Amino acid sequence: MKQKDKLAVKFLITDFAKARKADSPSIGIICDQLLKTLVPFGMAWSDMAIRNLLSDMVRLLSKLELDKTLTGPAKLRSLDVKKAINGYLGGHSPSRSRYESVVCLGYKFQCSDNRYAGMKDDPEDMLTRCNNLKVAIRSAYGVAGRMDGGAGNTNPKMLKIFMAPEFFFRGKNGAYSHEVVHGREAQPDAKPLALTKVKGIMEVMRDEIDQDIYKDWLFVLGTAIAAAELTESQCQTCGAVGKIKFERDLVKGGGATKAVCVKDPSHVIKEVSLGAIVENVAFVKKEGCIHTISKELVSHIDYRGGKVKVGGTEMGVHKSPQPSGYDSATKVPTKFKDERMGGSIFTVDGVTIGLEVCLDHAATRDSSASGRLEHAANIQIQLIPSAGMEIEALRTVPGGIVFNVDGVTPHVAVVAGAMQAQQVIETTEGKRSFFEDNTGLYFAKPCIGHAGSGAVIGYGPYEIPGV
Ligand SMILES: [Zn+2]
């Protein structure tokens, strides 16, 4: 979004909300919420963050339309403001949502939890897994076709969500390189040899999922694990506590810099390995829209012996202890607590979706008792690609859809139409969550054993609740 359009939105909302605030107590509440949305909106830079926040503005303005105390020219003005905001959102506006219902198609696949397996060559391993996933997607297309009374694939108002489990893309080294996961552009001027283009996972998968038949499909391609070695310049005399600064390297010349000890420039500096910095990333695609969500936490069961191989060398996975007692993948603090800011929340075609990768469903950096979407509002569908996770909490609006695909005790589970989680209990089959809807209490229904590993299991259709 252009800066001038952002300013126009800010002006529009401020002008309207301030003028209407005192009209009635109920209008006042909504106007305050509208003004509050402008705070993160002012800081938002990614297209997705802006889309999430504009969607929430449209939802508040729709709520206002239903308010009987809003009348006359004030009501007309609110319709105009909504129309203008909708203009920026296009087809992604919640008031123009393309979908009424959703089916959940889970790929029940036994992933390695921390047992690494795969082909000798990582790029080849990745391509093999892509082929495997393409077959699963075609099979899901068949399953969807038999749903909704055989109209699954022809009903344009029914969203189809395909999801594979966490760790789907990882080979025998425990992690791929970033080049295998994300690809590489051609570098004709590289020395000593020109580098050719390398396709990443999403690019390889697009051969299948870009087809017109998947127009109404949303794909979560499990997660992929990418690792790189993390190094730090340290003073050999002062060690890790010593401070380092970077100075222009007069010997090398040009723009080169060198690390120097702050205490004594004659001290010798060495590059020290801090282990592997690991990215566990979920790839999401809906037509032209691609979104990635990285898992924030690292579980102690995620990596075999806490180690992966980077460039053939085995090294410990770098983790950063957090107040919750869990470790995060990086020590870099999260920039925003608000997941709408380009984090685990995304809005496509008027539907707002939250995604928590495995442990992120159960904990955050700050809390061991609540997941990443704990404080989120307006989530209609909640997705959990996982490796050993049960559905424990509903973070959707009442009646929302929660969908988990677990690759360790391979199972596909959906809770839909429930009002809230009631309790989580231990049973002989492990943890089970109870939920409540208007018919009473029921279990989350995990589908274990009804199909083997490699099967696609479909649930639905379920009505997508409005917000
Ligand atoms: Zn030193």
Side-chain angles (χ1 to χ4, degrees):
M1 187 178 222
K2 290 192 193 109
Q3 192 58 24
K4 75 168 179 43
D5 292 337
K6 258 185 102 175
L7 287 172
V9 169
K10 259 182 126 169
F11 177 77
L12 207 60
I13 295 287
T14 310
D15 180 58
F16 174 78
K18 287 203 168 149
R20 299 275 65 87
K21 242 173 110 128
D23 284 9
S24 80
S26 55
I27 292 174
I29 290 170
I30 297 174
C31 286
D32 278 339
Q33 289 171 331
L34 272 170
L35 291 169
K36 252 191 206 162
T37 317
L38 290 179
V39 180
F41 184 73
M43 294 185 280
W45 56 270
S46 76
D47 286 346
M48 189 54 83
I50 288 166
R51 194 190 290 174
N52 286 336
L53 293 161
L54 290 175
S55 297
D56 283 352
M57 289 177 204
V58 167
R59 287 176 175 128
L60 287 166
L61 289 161
S62 301
K63 223 169 162 186
L64 207 54
E65 264 170 47
L66 301 174
D67 194 305
K68 289 198 174 66
T69 61
L70 186 80
T71 52
K75 177 148 191 166
L76 291 176
R77 179 72 188 136
S78 90
L79 293 174
D80 277 347
V81 172
K82 186 172 137 181
K83 200 175 156 196
I85 306 284
N86 266 338
Y88 294 113
L89 269 168
H92 294 295
S93 168
S95 65
R96 295 174 182 160
S97 180
R98 255 162 71 183
Y99 300 107
E100 289 168 355
S101 64
V102 62
V103 292
C104 302
L105 300 140
Y107 186 26
K108 183 178 172 186
F109 183 84
Q110 175 79 65
C111 281
S112 58
D113 37 12
N114 63 8
R115 288 157 292 173
Y116 303 154
M119 304 181 78
K120 206 166 136 198
D121 179 55
D122 274 345
E124 209 179 316
D125 188 74
M126 181 273 270
L127 289 173
T128 307
R129 285 171 202 271
C130 283
N131 285 335
N132 178 308
L133 203 55
K134 286 176 186 177
V135 172
I137 287 167
R138 279 174 225 138
S139 150
Y141 186 80
V143 174
R146 293 189 289 277
M147 297 171 91
D148 194 31
N153 284 325
T154 48
N155 180 354
K157 292 189 174 302
M158 193 174 89
L159 177 66
K160 274 69 73 172
I161 299 182
F162 172 89
M163 185 157 72
E166 186 190 21
F167 296 123
F168 185 83
F169 284 102
R170 104 150 125 195
K172 71 175 207 7
N173 294 313
Y176 293 147
S177 68
H178 281 263
E179 196 172 286
V180 171
V181 172
H182 299 289
R184 178 190 72 201
E185 290 307 317
Q187 295 166 35
D189 301 328
K191 299 279 182 299
L193 285 169
L195 296 172
T196 53
K197 181 181 167 61
V198 173
K199 278 187 177 182
I201 292 168
M202 184 53 92
E203 265 182 292
V204 175
M205 290 307 297
R206 287 184 78 161
D207 296 344
E208 177 71 24
I209 62 183
D210 270 359
Q211 295 180 76
D212 284 348
I213 54 167
Y214 300 118
K215 186 168 72 65
D216 297 310
W217 287 63
L218 183 139
F219 295 96
V220 180
L221 305 176
T223 75
I225 317 301
E229 187 175 13
L230 182 65
T231 59
E232 190 178 82
S233 300
Q234 280 182 10
C235 172
Q236 267 189 299
T237 315
C238 308
V241 291
K243 279 206 161 54
I244 300 287
K245 63 176 176 180
F246 287 87
E247 286 183 348
R248 182 168 286 177
D249 191 329
L250 298 172
V251 181
K252 279 190 185 155
T257 56
K258 61 172 182 177
V260 177
C261 178
V262 169
K263 210 168 153 194
D264 185 341
S266 72
H267 284 177
V268 177
I269 307 293
K270 59 174 182 179
E271 281 286 299
V272 178
S273 173
L274 299 180
I277 186 118
V278 168
E279 182 196 32
N280 182 347
V281 60
F283 285 106
V284 181
K285 185 165 189 296
K286 168 75 187 31
E287 288 175 275
C289 168
I290 293 173
H291 190 58
T292 58
I293 296 162
S294 292
K295 186 180 182 180
E296 206 166 76
L297 299 177
V298 179
S299 161
H300 66 282
I301 59 164
D302 283 356
Y303 300 95
R304 184 178 67 200
K307 288 178 176 158
V308 294
K309 269 189 187 167
V310 177
T313 310
E314 187 168 74
M315 52 187 80
V317 170
H318 181 76
K319 294 182 207 169
S320 178
Q322 296 298 318
S324 61
Y326 288 99
D327 296 315
S328 64
T330 95
K331 65 176 178 187
V332 182
T334 33
K335 206 164 166 206
F336 299 107
K337 295 270 178 217
D338 188 333
E339 293 293 342
R340 291 176 300 179
M341 299 297 278
S344 62
I345 293 176
F346 56 98
T347 304
V348 273
D349 296 312
V351 183
T352 294
I353 299 172
L355 185 150
E356 295 166 319
V357 178
C358 204
L359 185 56
D360 286 358
H361 176 56
T364 62
R365 288 177 171 223
D366 296 328
S367 164
S368 60
S370 58
R372 214 169 149 179
L373 296 172
E374 178 78 6
H375 301 291
N378 298 343
I379 305 284
Q380 292 157 290
I381 299 172
Q382 180 182 6
L383 303 174
I384 311 164
S386 71
M389 181 58 64
E390 297 283 344
I391 296 174
E392 291 193 355
L394 309 189
R395 296 295 172 224
T396 63
V397 295
I401 297 103
V402 189
F403 179 24
N404 173 26
V405 177
D406 166 23
V408 167
T409 315
H411 78 284
V412 176
V414 174
V415 174
M419 302 320 275
Q420 58 179 311
Q422 290 299 309
Q423 51 183 319
V424 180
I425 57 156
E426 290 285 341
T427 72
T428 47
E429 291 167 80
K431 261 189 190 172
R432 287 287 176 274
S433 307
F434 278 106
F435 300 92
E436 189 180 2
D437 66 2
N438 48 18
T439 63
L441 280 178
Y442 67 91
F443 273 135
K445 298 181 191 75
C447 183
I448 302 177
H450 298 304
S453 177
V456 173
I457 297 164
Y459 289 110
Y462 307 107
E463 191 186 325
I464 301 173
V467 185

